[in-house]
Amino acid sequence: MTVIEVAAGLIQRDGRYLIARRKAGVHLAGYWEFPGGKREGGESLEDCLRRELREELNVVVGIPLPYRIVRHEYPEKIVELHFFRCVIESGEAEALDCAELRWVLPEEFNQFTFPPADAVILESLQRDAIMESR
Ligand SMILES: Nc1nc2c([nH]c(=O)n2[C@@H]2O[C@H](COP(=O)(O)OP(=O)(O)OP(=O)(O)O)[C@@H](O)[C@H]2O)c(=O)[nH]1
Ligand SMILES: [Mg+2]
């Protein structure tokens, strides 16, 4: 099975992260996720992320900082998710290509259903928040 490369943004503001709910009719419909999408030919992962965030949210982000890479096998596909930390440089996020948007604290992540691949990232961000509050 071919591996699908995806770039996803951990967009932080005032201790909260921007999460998006996937639209009906797509892979993992209704799940909450970190905005982003598939890399297109010739594009770097950073360029991919910035394009996806423009398309999905109509925002421009500053230089994305690599956070973690997670490879996950779904029954129908293998994804390699490249998570980047970033902040919005201009624009206010709009739900252009998702069902709903929320700014949430790491301690609230458990109230939302994320794709199984995201579990390690959610735990990691929760740990970071605890460390930063010390
Ligand atoms: N964006 C994003 N995708 C994720 C996350 N976790 C996860 O398993 N995925 C999976 O990675 C793939 C990302 O593709 P996508 O559907 O966002 O791709 P895209 O924006 O390019 O849309 P497209 O399907 O219209 O080309 C999906 O199969 C999705 O289920 C996540 O936190 N963020
Ligand atoms: Mg997407």
Side-chain angles (χ1 to χ4, degrees), residues 74-95:
Y74 289 107
E76 59 280 40
K77 58 174 132 185
I78 301 172
V79 292
E80 187 173 83
L81 302 161
H82 295 254
F83 290 93
F84 292 88
R85 280 190 175 280
C86 51
V87 293
I88 295 176
E89 232 172 42
S90 68
E92 185 61 41
E94 298 169 60

Side-chain angles (χ1 to χ4, degrees), residues 4-19:
I4 298 163
E5 288 177 291
V6 174
L10 305 170
I11 307 173
Q12 198 180 12
R13 190 172 74 190
D14 302 328
R16 293 173 184 268
Y17 289 92
L18 185 60
I19 60 169

